[in-house]
Amino acid sequence: MTVKTFFYGLIASFGVPWLVMLVVPYGSMRSMEPVRYDEINDERTDLFQAKRSGRTSNGSLVYAQEGCAMCHSQVTRPSYAGVDVFREGQGGTKSHPERGDTRRITHAWDFEREDRAHIGEARIGPDLGNFGNRLAALEVSENEATAVAMGVKIVKEDKSRLTQKEIIAALGDKAFDKELYLYKHLYNPREEGLNDPGDENAWSVCQSNPQFFKKVGNFGQGAATAVDVKDGQQVVANDRCKSLVNYLINLKKDGAVPYAMQYAKNKKKAGK
Amino acid sequence: MSTITSPVLEDTKLRADIDRSLRHPVMFFFASGAVWLAISLLLGTMASIKTHAPDFMSCCSFLNYGRTMPAHMSALIYGWGAQAAFGVIIWLMSRLSRQECKKSGIILAAGHWWNLMVAIGTVCVLSGSGTGVVWMAFPQAIMISLVLTYFFIGIWAVIAFRVRRGGHIYISQWYLLAALFWFPWVVISGLMFGQLFLGDGDALMVTASTAWFRSALMFLFFTPVAAASAYYIAPKVTGRPVYSYHLAIFGFWALAIVGPWTGMDRMMGAPIPAFMQFLSAGAAVLLVVPAIALFINIIKTAASNKDALAHSPSLRFTVAGAMGMLIFTLMGAVMSLPSALKYTQFSIAQYGLELTGLLGFFSMCMFGAIYFIVPRITNREWISAKMISLHFWLFIYGIVFIAIFYTFLGGFMHGYALEQVGESIMASSGRLYPYAIGLTTGFVFLLFAIFMFCCHLLFMWLRLGRRSNHPTLLSSHSPSMPHGPEGDLDKLEPMDSNQVAH
């Protein structure tokens, strides 16, 4: 073997997989066409878009820098790769009050406008791909439980139920605050009574994050989102914490997909 | 004295000159690498403790699992792995090419710069300014600086090969040359697709490219350097040729052909083209082939001189490294089977496998090389056979414990719990508890071993080693000199006063 043939061999043996596994897929996925709903089957003609709001890009960066992906995944795999889709709350929920069965696997368009897909290293903690949805469900159940405890009638006289907005209005400052819940979780995940959404067991190895909080003077009524108050000082979330919380609240990957992309036997219309 | 002929003398002098020319950079790479290994293991221990005692030192946010874990891996890869590899590459390439290094000052300066970058990068990761990508956690600017620094180090090994003396090219040289060629291509690709194009590419392929990068760095840089070291140490210490040269060449090309296809199996089930996931899973199984070739060759060569195997620390570590390679690839093959991957993809098994490869295989081969090289470049012998022995057994115990108990048993148990739909995710964390404690226990053994190694190496760096013709062996009743004729070096002293002046 001469040095020349050696290098030809190296370039070929490395170059081909480099192109096939990296360069070509990178280029083709970078220019993916958006998926359009089908008028006949979906009764809508717009494009699929992952919905997000707020400071999710900043939050995603904080999520990466703090190593959240070491313990949390954000993917619901197809059934050939795992049972993720059957785990309640992970890929959606089996009985959404308005949309019915929303469970589905994660698809490429779920990561639209994100810099990095936090697929995750390990599942030491729960998958967070649909954490925002689980949190929203927790908000509903907590508000209803508080309303019952406070004697607020959830069912009206005409036998229709109060909407969430009406319940929140009735509860006032007793209503469940998603942001405050997350601040508390990030401050001390093992705080008593801090249940994980979609999980009945409160035990967690999640880390406390003092770096996300600052101490400020406790003046007047104090901050509504303070996680701790003592010695004339209150502990409030800093900017990084707020953007991370914003990102977590927006983690939703159960949007209705076009008819053609549904793998379930009982396909349904995406609807409006 | 009368038996030493002129060519033998010249040869011995040439080797001594090469050793002397590389003494400072190689010793610097090894010593600083060993310190980084200790730092990495400390960070790993802290990360491990955090998985079963999350409130341990919870007041210090820089010690959180999410920060210590990537800092631990980065220190392991760029602090220890890369530096140990650089030391072995430049020394081995110079020795095999029979060329002195004329630019050791540049290599040494580059080595200092490399260490500064790794230190800043580690501080950045611990302070929450890293990228969060495990094998590429340093900020972008640090990674670019590391790649540029690499060229100032690696280029001299390429030049040494280019101006080599003698016609024959050894298998170790092929491996080193390939590693020198693959490293920049792999790192620059990982950097480009995983970091530089961030925000301008596809989020999923950014993540996929970092998965590929990890695997490529392991199999196309750390593996060939370790194999080159093993193929040098085994015949050199035993005084016998490599068992089968054809098998060695076959193993090399098997690695070159299969290695670049691996890595994407970590993305199994993610919405990237499915062929990539399954191709990588298949490639991970095929990696057993080059591992078997290396294993057979090293074991057969080592077995040809059982005395050397019993007495030489270099050979013992190298043989353990060859076994580590086989175990590592076998475990990787089993874990990458699509039917098993559903359990292992998101379980602790993947981290355990990386530790098995980096510590049980690569580091073992590097220890073997360091125990061989350091006495030659310092002109001193290792101080204590007992410390070497303790290093070996404590390290073996720690890594075997991590490989079997944590990676295999813990990995599948964790994965099994994750695959139970009716079981809460917190219950799977509960199942993880004993294995997390097991990992901490394994790390404690590794820390003791590395403490021994670090102290020993730093003593050698300070030139406190034994001034003797006889190498430090694991048994004092050696009938022969397993380290070859190198001990005759002192006989040259009256002839060339320069040789004792350093």
Side-chain angles (χ1 to χ4, degrees):
Chain A
M1 181 166 56
T2 65
V3 176
K4 204 182 228 178
T5 51
F6 172 76
F7 273 106
Y8 285 150
L10 275 197
I11 290 167
S13 64
F14 188 82
V16 173
W18 184 70
L19 287 171
V20 173
M21 301 291 269
L22 207 61
V23 181
V24 175
Y26 195 96
S28 59
M29 286 196 71
R30 186 169 170 261
S31 51
M32 263 189 330
E33 289 284 323
V35 280
R36 186 176 288 281
Y37 289 103
D38 177 349
E39 188 172 9
I40 297 167
N41 290 314
D42 294 319
E43 294 175 350
R44 56 193 282 194
T45 53
D46 56 332
L47 301 171
F48 176 87
Q49 284 189 334
K51 287 175 188 157
R52 282 180 208 97
S53 62
R55 303 170 55 189
T56 49
S57 293
N58 302 56
S60 173
L61 183 64
V62 177
Y63 184 93
Q65 290 179 327
E66 296 298 335
C68 303
M70 298 296 122
C71 299
H72 298 282
S73 60
Q74 282 187 35
V75 64
T76 302
R77 300 172 293 178
S79 53
Y80 70 80
V83 296
D84 303 0
V85 80
F86 304 111
R87 188 182 280 282
E88 177 60 21
Q90 180 163 340
T93 181
K94 197 174 180 181
S95 48
H96 190 277
E98 290 150 23
R99 293 169 48 209
D101 191 348
T102 64
R103 293 175 301 173
R104 68 165 172 83
I105 61 169
T106 307
H107 63 64
W109 289 269
D110 282 325
F111 298 95
E112 243 179 8
R113 285 172 286 135
E114 282 193 35
D115 288 346
R116 192 186 293 285
H118 299 294
I119 295 298
E121 288 294 308
R123 283 180 176 160
I124 295 174
D127 181 273
L128 297 181
N130 273 304
F131 178 76
N133 287 319
R134 295 206 298 275
L135 195 61
L138 182 71
E139 181 185 25
V140 171
S141 63
E142 289 284 315
N143 279 339
E144 288 185 358
T146 311
V148 170
M150 287 173 66
V152 177
K153 287 185 179 172
I154 296 175
V155 183
K156 292 186 219 171
E157 286 178 1
D158 60 359
K159 294 194 177 172
S160 63
R161 288 173 70 89
L162 289 178
T163 62
Q164 273 303 302
K165 277 187 182 172
E166 289 169 331
I167 294 175
I168 290 169
L171 294 179
D173 62 356
K174 300 279 183 203
F176 182 82
D177 185 337
K178 286 192 282 192
E179 288 184 11
L180 180 60
Y181 168 85
L182 281 176
Y183 292 148
K184 284 184 174 176
H185 181 87
L186 291 168
Y187 186 64
N188 180 10
R190 282 161 294 286
E191 187 182 309
E192 210 172 322
L194 198 63
N195 292 321
D196 282 301
D199 212 312
E200 71 287 349
N201 192 332
W203 190 79
S204 165
V205 289
C206 192
Q207 310 287 287
S208 304
N209 293 280
Q211 75 275 20
F212 284 151
F213 298 90
K214 57 186 178 186
K215 281 182 181 171
V216 294
N218 187 17
F219 303 113
Q221 291 183 321
T225 53
V227 291
D228 198 9
V229 181
K230 59 183 173 190
D231 304 331
Q233 288 203 308
Q234 54 185 338
V235 181
V236 294
N238 63 17
D239 211 38
R240 278 169 68 84
C241 186
K242 285 175 185 168
S243 53
L244 177 63
V245 164
N246 211 293
Y247 172 72
L248 293 172
I249 289 173
N250 275 284
L251 283 174
K252 294 174 182 176
K253 290 182 174 60
D254 73 338
V257 293
Y259 192 81
M261 283 174 60
Q262 292 180 26
Y263 301 114
K265 280 181 189 168
N266 49 345
K267 288 187 172 193
K268 56 184 182 179
K269 299 183 178 194
K272 289 186 180 174
Chain B
M1 198 62 190
S2 59
T3 56
I4 300 175
T5 58
S6 181
V8 174
L9 260 180
E10 270 184 28
D11 191 56
T12 310
K13 183 178 178 308
L14 175 68
R15 277 187 281 165
D17 287 342
I18 293 169
D19 291 346
R20 197 167 54 249
S21 73
L22 283 167
R23 191 178 95 202
H24 293 298
V26 170
M27 207 52 213
F28 178 76
F29 280 131
F30 288 161
S32 54
V35 172
W36 277 113
L37 178 57
I39 293 171
S40 161
L41 292 178
L42 273 172
L43 288 168
T45 310
M46 178 54 71
S48 176
I49 290 171
K50 287 282 196 174
T51 58
H52 55 83
D55 287 324
F56 178 67
M57 295 188 77
S58 61
C59 55
C60 306
S61 54
F62 69 93
L63 293 177
N64 271 4
Y65 182 77
R67 293 188 185 182
T68 46
M69 183 67 174
H72 146 67
M73 287 308 278
S74 300
L76 187 62
I77 292 153
Y78 301 103
W80 155 248
Q83 293 207 87
F86 292 156
V88 168
I89 287 171
I90 55 175
W91 185 85
L92 215 53
M93 195 57 110
S94 291
R95 269 295 196 102
L96 293 170
S97 302
R98 304 171 67 76
Q99 280 291 344
E100 286 176 58
C101 181
K102 304 275 195 308
K103 305 286 181 190
S104 61
I106 295 177
I107 300 175
L108 189 60
H112 279 87
W113 184 254
W114 182 280
N115 271 278
L116 180 67
M117 290 299 107
V118 174
I120 295 173
T122 307
V123 170
C124 283
V125 175
L126 288 175
S127 63
S129 313
T131 63
V133 183
V134 190
W135 283 44
M136 232 193 297
F138 294 157
Q140 214 177 79
I142 301 282
M143 288 302 295
I144 292 170
S145 180
L146 288 179
V147 174
L148 293 175
T149 312
Y150 160 80
F151 286 106
F152 286 94
I153 298 165
I155 191 74
W156 306 110
V158 177
I159 289 172
F161 177 78
R162 193 86 182 85
V163 295
R164 66 192 177 278
R165 291 177 191 158
H168 184 70
I169 300 172
Y170 297 95
I171 182 66
S172 294
Q173 282 170 297
W174 291 127
Y175 268 113
L176 291 179
L177 210 55
L180 286 162
F181 171 80
W182 281 325
F183 183 82
W185 199 343
V186 167
V187 178
I188 291 172
S189 300
L191 199 55
M192 272 193 335
F193 295 112
Q195 288 196 13
L196 296 182
F197 296 163
L198 209 61
D200 195 31
D202 176 70
L204 279 157
M205 276 310 294
V206 165
T207 308
S209 62
T210 54
W212 174 87
F213 164 80
R214 290 157 76 157
S215 220
L217 198 62
M218 181 67 221
F219 293 113
L220 302 179
F221 181 65
F222 292 128
T223 299
V225 173
S229 163
Y231 274 122
Y232 179 81
I233 300 287
K236 194 79 176 167
V237 173
T238 53
R240 309 280 199 277
V242 171
Y243 170 69
S244 165
Y245 214 74
H246 291 295
L247 188 62
I249 292 286
F250 168 76
F252 171 80
W253 283 112
L255 180 70
I257 290 167
V258 176
W261 295 94
T262 56
M264 295 296 189
D265 47 329
R266 288 295 297 269
M267 298 287 286
M268 185 64 83
I272 59 167
F275 81 90
M276 291 159 65
Q277 308 161 16
F278 286 96
L279 259 178
S280 281
V285 176
L286 285 176
L287 273 171
V288 173
V289 174
I292 290 174
L294 179 84
F295 178 76
I296 291 175
N297 251 342
I298 299 302
I299 295 295
K300 285 279 190 183
T301 309
S304 62
N305 185 345
K306 292 201 171 61
D307 271 345
L309 186 58
H311 304 307
S312 164
S314 303
L315 193 57
R316 188 184 280 187
F317 274 99
T318 300
V319 167
M323 284 182 181
M325 165 80 170
L326 187 66
I327 293 167
F328 167 56
T329 50
L330 279 172
M331 282 170 67
V334 171
M335 283 164 53
S336 297
L337 293 170
S339 52
L341 203 54
K342 62 174 74 171
Y343 299 108
T344 58
Q345 185 181 359
F346 287 118
S347 81
I348 54 173
Q350 296 291 346
Y351 169 56
L353 186 68
E354 284 176 359
L355 286 181
T356 308
L358 284 168
L359 297 175
F361 159 50
F362 170 76
S363 297
M364 275 294 182
C365 289
M366 291 301 100
F367 293 141
I370 289 171
Y371 280 119
F372 186 86
I373 295 169
V374 169
R376 282 154 181 80
I377 56 176
T378 57
N379 220 14
R380 300 283 191 280
E381 293 302 331
W382 291 97
I383 299 164
S384 161
K386 194 147 198 157
M387 279 177 91
I388 301 174
S389 191
L390 268 174
H391 170 207
F392 180 80
W393 288 112
L394 286 170
F395 203 86
I396 282 283
Y397 189 84
I399 196 61
V400 168
F401 191 69
I402 287 173
I404 294 174
F405 183 71
Y406 180 78
T407 310
F408 222 68
L409 293 178
F412 275 99
M413 180 59 87
H414 183 209
Y416 173 78
L418 290 173
E419 281 296 287
Q420 304 308 302
V421 178
E423 199 165 301
S424 91
I425 200 82
M426 294 303 175
S428 69
S429 289
R431 289 197 194 218
L432 208 55
Y433 187 76
Y435 301 102
I437 292 178
L439 179 64
T440 306
T441 313
F443 267 125
V444 169
F445 280 98
L446 294 180
L447 271 173
F448 276 119
I450 293 309
F451 178 73
M452 296 281 170
F453 174 65
C454 255
C455 291
H456 213 173
L457 191 61
L458 290 174
F459 286 144
M460 292 293 280
W461 197 16
L462 296 170
R463 310 212 72 197
L464 296 174
R466 291 187 304 111
R467 186 92 180 106
S468 167
N469 259 0
H470 300 279
T472 306
L473 302 176
L474 296 170
S475 161
S476 55
H477 303 291
S478 170
S480 61
M481 296 274 289
H483 283 263
E486 221 79 29
D488 293 335
L489 185 65
D490 286 355
K491 294 177 182 174
L492 286 171
E493 282 178 7
M495 298 173 197
D496 186 354
S497 58
N498 285 335
Q499 285 181 27
V500 289
H502 66 279

